[in-house]
Amino acid sequence: MDFMERRDGRLRRGFQQREPRNAGEITPRPGRAVRRRRRRFLRRKCHADQFGMLRSCIANKHWEDAVLLLADLESLAVLWRDNPAEVRKAWDAIEANSTYRIEDRYRDYWLSPDARAVGMMELGELLAETEHAAEAAVIFDALIRHHRGTGDVEVLASSLDWRARLYWEAGNLDDAMSFLKEEERLCREHGDALGLAQALNNQALLLEDRCELDKAVELYRESEHLHRQASDREGLATNLCNQARLLVDRLQMDQAMALFAVVEQLGAETGSDEDLARCLLVKAEALADMERAAEALDCARRGYAAAEKIHDRRLMQALGELLTQLE
């Protein structure tokens, strides 16, 4: 498919009622940013230089030792909180060079999840981000059941958000929206403005899939206001990237390009390679549709480099495919 055909497809999507994406299973486009709430842990130094140990195991191909380190939930929690990309990269190396598989090593934890265990939240996030949705769902369901009773609002809200993401990726928009509405209610009741902004951003994504674009825009704007009030530049970058992508779908290219410039600046300021890579992916696609191939290629190359730093498989694949078309 050449860029003119892709542009014609976008014209149809921009001016006509779009086909709902919830007919059957959906796979969200990597350029559509889901805002994922994380527990606000303080960064800690890894005990006994656990990252040094992990890197040494990977470099020397001591796969069993690396697996033993990562299979310990407390060690996993420390490593994941400090550098999720390093953990994802380690598991990819282990699975590519040995018979160890991530779902097998954590099987006991997701078959009989103990929501009180240290590291269970981090394990759920790891499984969700390495395409083990069913296993992650079991863990987040357990965390939600447990923390509805404990009153730990922060962990409950984060678990609801992750579970909604998994429902969304499976095409179950109704349950995804239900969980996000519960998260929204919790955040409003407890004055969590940042959590509320994130929940509204994700609700807007679901409304787009339901073709309720005006409502989606309203929620994006409310979310943007909350992110600005909280001085949350990373969340703001995610929000503005989604708004810019929606403007591209509506062929409002000048406004979209202005927002992309803001997102790039925010990504550089915060050091968020995820926001930068996502922004550059959507911007590169838009530039390609506008037949500005050289600029599109530059954006795609920079985006791929950013995605590589965080070892985000979906972004790397999407940007790699785009580079193949452009080069």
Side-chain angles (χ1 to χ4, degrees):
M1 180 181 293
D2 63 25
F3 292 131
M4 185 61 70
E5 289 172 329
R6 290 174 62 233
R7 185 175 63 179
D8 291 343
R10 181 154 292 166
L11 280 169
R12 289 192 292 273
R13 289 199 304 274
F15 288 110
Q16 298 179 8
Q17 184 77 352
R18 298 186 305 174
E19 290 296 321
R21 295 198 185 101
N22 60 339
E25 187 170 344
I26 62 173
T27 302
R29 288 180 290 165
R32 303 180 73 213
V34 182
R35 185 65 183 163
R36 297 183 291 266
R37 292 188 87 242
R38 295 187 184 276
R39 296 161 73 183
R40 298 183 198 126
F41 292 113
L42 294 175
R43 293 221 167 193
R44 306 175 184 176
K45 291 184 178 179
C46 294
H47 304 299
D49 192 18
Q50 286 168 300
F51 267 121
M53 293 166 58
L54 180 60
R55 290 168 185 148
S56 176
C57 290
I58 298 300
N60 292 294
K61 301 182 180 181
H62 296 161
W63 309 121
E64 183 176 1
D65 292 339
V67 168
L68 288 173
L69 179 62
L70 290 167
D72 177 76
L73 276 194
E74 291 193 13
S75 294
L76 174 66
V78 172
L79 292 165
W80 183 260
R81 293 171 195 173
D82 192 72
N83 194 332
E86 193 86 18
V87 176
R88 290 194 297 265
K89 190 180 299 184
W91 266 115
D92 277 357
I94 291 166
E95 292 191 328
N97 294 283
S98 75
T99 59
Y100 294 110
R101 293 294 175 265
I102 190 170
E103 63 271 24
D104 295 333
R105 300 311 300 176
Y106 298 113
R107 185 178 302 278
D108 290 344
Y109 294 120
W110 58 261
L111 284 178
S112 300
D114 181 359
R116 299 165 297 179
V118 174
M120 194 60 68
M121 172 68 76
E122 291 77 14
L123 175 58
E125 293 177 359
L126 168 62
L127 292 169
E129 292 197 356
T130 52
E131 300 177 16
H132 296 86
E135 295 86 346
V138 171
I139 289 175
F140 288 124
D141 283 340
L143 288 166
I144 289 167
R145 287 193 301 271
H146 178 69
H147 290 293
R148 276 175 176 156
T150 65
D152 189 331
V153 175
E154 190 169 343
V155 178
L156 176 57
S158 190
S159 300
L160 288 166
D161 204 273
W162 276 95
R163 190 63 180 93
R165 174 197 173 184
L166 295 173
Y167 275 129
W168 178 57
E169 291 180 346
N172 188 341
L173 302 188
D174 290 339
D175 283 336
M177 184 63 82
S178 175
F179 276 62
L180 289 174
K181 286 292 186 182
E182 182 178 352
E183 181 190 1
E184 177 189 352
R185 178 182 58 78
L186 282 171
C187 292
R188 289 190 187 278
E189 288 178 356
H190 295 272
D192 182 356
L194 182 55
L196 175 60
Q198 295 169 338
L200 294 176
N201 180 80
N202 290 347
Q203 287 181 37
L205 284 172
L206 268 66
L207 289 171
E208 284 190 60
D209 283 332
R210 290 177 170 175
C211 299
E212 299 178 47
L213 302 187
D214 290 338
K215 291 182 179 179
V217 170
E218 288 180 12
L219 290 188
Y220 280 137
R221 296 275 172 78
E222 184 179 353
S223 173
E224 177 189 348
H225 176 69
L226 290 166
H227 282 302
R228 290 187 185 279
Q229 278 193 323
S231 298
D232 176 28
R233 293 184 297 170
E234 189 173 336
L236 179 62
T238 301
N239 173 284
L240 294 180
C241 187
N242 280 337
Q243 291 195 57
R245 177 191 43 73
L246 190 52
L247 287 170
V248 169
D249 283 343
R250 290 178 156 182
L251 297 179
Q252 296 173 265
M253 295 302 189
D254 290 341
Q255 297 95 316
M257 289 298 162
L259 275 188
F260 284 137
V262 175
V263 176
E264 283 191 68
Q265 182 179 349
L266 288 169
E269 290 174 357
T270 62
S272 174
D273 290 305
E274 180 179 356
D275 287 323
L276 184 59
R278 202 177 298 279
C279 169
L280 291 169
L281 167 62
V282 184
K283 184 178 179 181
E285 290 176 335
L287 289 167
D289 287 344
M290 296 165 69
E291 300 182 338
R292 293 160 61 177
E295 295 170 81
L297 180 59
D298 175 67
C299 284
R301 284 172 174 166
R302 290 190 291 125
Y304 191 87
E308 265 193 319
K309 289 182 182 179
I310 56 173
H311 205 69
D312 188 307
R313 293 179 185 174
R314 290 182 182 179
L315 284 171
M316 289 167 66
Q317 180 179 353
L319 285 156
E321 291 172 356
L322 184 58
L323 281 169
T324 300
Q325 296 176 41
L326 292 167
E327 289 177 334

